[in-house]
Amino acid sequence: MKKMLPKIAASVALCSALVTASSAADVIKIGVQAPITGKYANEGQSIDNGVRLVVDQVNAKGGVLGKKIEVVSCDDEGTAQKAAICARKLVNEGVMAVIGSYTSGATEAAQTTYYRSGVLQTSDGTSDSLTKHKYWTFFRNSFQNSAQADFTAKYLVKEKGYKRIAVLSDYSSYAVGLADSVVASIKAEGGNTIYQGKIKSGTQNFTAVLTKIKSMDPDAIYFSGYYTDGGLLRAQQIQLGIKADFIGGDSNDNPDFMKLAGASAKGTLLVNFPTPDFLPYDTAKQFLKDYNDKYGMAPASVWALMNIDGLKAILYAAEQTKSLDTKTISDYLHTLKDFPGITGPVSFREDGERINTKFNVYEVQADNSYKIINN
Amino acid sequence: MDIFLQQLVNGLTIGSLYALVALGYTMVYGVMKLINFAHGDLVALSAFVGLTIYTQVFGEGITSLIAVITVFMFTAAVIAVVGVLLERLAYRPLRTAPRLSAVVSALGAGLVIQNAIMLIWGPNMMIFPSNLFPSTIWNFNGIVITFTQLMILGLSSVLMVGLYFFINRTKMGTAIRATAIDQDAAKLMGINVNKIIMIIFIIGSSLGAVAGLFIGIYYRGVTFDMGWMYGLNAFVAAIIGGIGNIPGAMFGGLMLGLFNALISGYISSSWAETFTFVLLIVVLIFRPTGILGEKVAEKV
């Protein structure tokens, strides 16, 4: 009897292997790793919704290489711990590619698992470190922090002429990286950073650090973290009567920033890639319309759209190479030039970096709409 | 100097919120010797209940004193009921069980409440309207205080002083203190211990509800998982002040708030949390029963 057990186990394993093999044959599985709950839930849900919308559209046209696409979502809550669990789960599900995640920290925590399993990954994370391993599986569908930092510093020092800049970040690898790059770029531009500090994301009470900054009399406060903290920082800055301009990094571009800041949102400057409304491309307008028709609202920000471009590029590469082999697709993507994406032409460098450098500065108006104020 | 005073205002505001939450921990511990880990999640729940009452009954945009008072009263009542239910379902069946079982039950109950909030209100951040309180700001020689801050400081002081007199000067308060010292002896003296415990949960949960509403009104954004952070800080405050000791919880909360603000202001905000726990360790080494002392000493 004892000897029977391994045999039963083996046959069960064989059966289940056959089942997965047969199901893998007629569908292509695409994973979504995103913060579907938690602080960044509206970003994560936009990514998940966007991917499902595109997949439905592709499936309606017969799928890719004659196969239907199936979406498997995993909620990483924007944390590295959950991201590592998601990575294993999605690999075990047998996905070909993973779209996400939203935060650089969660992306980085999952990256190696996908690389070892030969699963493609495309993320909007902007942390410079995401491409340092040069994994052939990883593609950044947004831009690098250092590119944004150069633009930001030039704008703050040269265009605005700020003399006393305070720089704040949270503890995420993305925000720290961006803040460090901005401080370095400000120095390179000949500007003056009077304070660089960190806040703990989610603690809500930032009056202590803002009071300290107030005593240094800054003319600009730059925050590289996320909108949930940025909105509160701006509100508490105004409450404390600190007369400085508030400049938010790309992750402050979210409707919740305006809601949290309330009346204080007016006059905030945000640095980001063109926001969905300002994208000049027909594909973008069509996508936003479809998204709105299906979900009754607009995607939270441009990040969801960047991730959609990553998905579209991967599906396009599969079509072009007539292959579902991730290495073949990856090789093709590395040479991709000007694929017409929603957020503009998509081209990848050898290290998986998207070639792109366009940024805007937006000023938040009284009705919370954006006005482009650079050049 | 004005920077220092501003940090005092900052610290006292967050400190009185911690104190209100810490009272819930300390009262339950005093009577039941149980750390009610679900308390922080009750605080989070109150913010969501309050926001729903406000938007459903009054609708966005309407602000009056009556609306605010009604929201506070109703939310406190709802959370008090939840607190009593929590005790009935999660703690009473385990009252004679080893203490660890009750703590595990408390952690589980906290997760249930947290996930219930997520399922009912969704995982997104919800945002309080900005006009619940007038946005008046006073500026005394560079020291800024807002109407909301004043309300937080004022109302929590009134509640804490009221609680102090209730516990020390009324018959019911005496019964609560007697139950805290020895449940069996209290029972022999004709005190209905179950009723006392129910009252403890009503008071503790209502104070937590007030704190939760203030968090929503002051910081505006509320998430289903925010209870953990406030719960942890308040728990630390209760221990620093001496768990089981009511003035201790008030003192611990205010002290923790001030300490955090001063560390953030004069050393570095990156170190604020580290110093909080260093403070906790120092207090536990030199005064294991907290600064004002745990009430168990009376148990001789």
Side-chain angles (χ1 to χ4, degrees), chain B residues 4-86:
Chain B
F4 177 74
L5 290 176
Q6 182 68 59
Q7 294 291 19
L8 285 191
V9 172
N10 300 339
L12 284 176
T13 312
I14 182 88
S16 37
L17 292 178
Y18 289 155
L20 282 179
V21 184
L23 283 169
Y25 279 103
T26 222
M27 288 175 71
V28 170
Y29 184 84
V31 172
M32 296 174 74
K33 300 289 166 287
L34 161 76
I35 306 287
N36 179 13
F37 279 114
H39 189 58
D41 297 301
L42 281 185
V43 173
L45 178 66
S46 78
F48 285 86
V49 169
L51 184 57
T52 307
I53 292 177
Y54 177 71
T55 46
Q56 296 303 313
V57 177
F58 297 99
E60 297 255 357
I62 295 171
T63 42
S64 63
L65 194 61
I66 298 168
V68 174
I69 293 174
T70 322
V71 168
F72 270 85
M73 302 284 271
F74 271 91
T75 310
V78 171
I79 300 303
V81 171
V82 177
V84 170
L85 280 177
L86 175 73

Side-chain angles (χ1 to χ4, degrees), chain A residues 10-57:
Chain A
S11 54
V12 168
L14 193 63
C15 285
S16 56
L18 282 174
V19 170
T20 39
S22 67
S23 64
D26 41 87
V27 295
I28 302 169
K29 283 191 180 176
I30 298 284
V32 173
Q33 182 203 321
I36 296 168
T37 68
K39 274 188 299 200
Y40 313 125
N42 70 359
E43 295 283 2
Q45 287 163 9
S46 298
I47 296 172
D48 194 41
N49 286 342
V51 168
R52 285 174 188 275
L53 172 66
V54 169
V55 164
D56 285 351
Q57 289 171 346

Side-chain angles (χ1 to χ4, degrees), chain A residues 36-38 41-42 45 171 198 200 202-205 207-208 211-212 214-215 228 232 236 239-240 259-260, chain B residues 3 6-7 10 14 123-125 127 142 144 146 149 215 218-221 229-230 261 264-265 267 269-270 273:
Chain A
I36 296 168
T37 68
N42 70 359
Q45 287 163 9
Y171 284 91
K198 297 191 183 82
K200 188 157 182 280
T203 46
Q204 298 193 322
N205 181 33
T207 48
T211 303
K212 184 176 184 176
K214 185 184 184 182
S215 70
T228 48
L232 284 173
Q236 291 171 22
Q239 178 206 311
L240 287 169
K259 288 190 198 156
L260 282 169
Chain B
I3 293 297
Q6 182 68 59
Q7 294 291 19
N10 300 339
I14 182 88
N124 287 329
M125 175 182 265
I127 296 182
V144 177
T146 65
Q149 281 179 312
I215 290 168
Y218 187 48
Y219 297 121
R220 315 268 318 282
M229 204 250 317
Y230 285 99
S264 309
I267 299 182
S269 58
S270 319
E273 201 143 282

Side-chain angles (χ1 to χ4, degrees), chain A residues 257-322:
Chain A
F257 181 99
M258 317 307 153
K259 288 190 198 156
L260 282 169
S264 316
K266 182 172 169 273
T268 306
L269 303 180
L270 300 172
V271 177
N272 199 4
F273 194 81
T275 56
D277 307 345
F278 290 110
L279 288 169
Y281 315 102
D282 287 341
T283 44
K285 295 199 174 80
Q286 185 61 40
F287 177 81
L288 289 173
K289 188 182 169 298
D290 292 347
Y291 190 99
N292 201 37
D293 287 348
K294 186 164 180 193
Y295 300 109
M297 55 177 170
S301 71
V302 76
W303 301 113
L305 279 63
M306 300 236 185
N307 281 300
I308 299 306
D309 278 348
L311 169 70
K312 285 191 159 178
I314 288 172
L315 297 181
Y316 174 77
E319 292 268 1
Q320 292 300 308
T321 56
K322 301 207 174 3

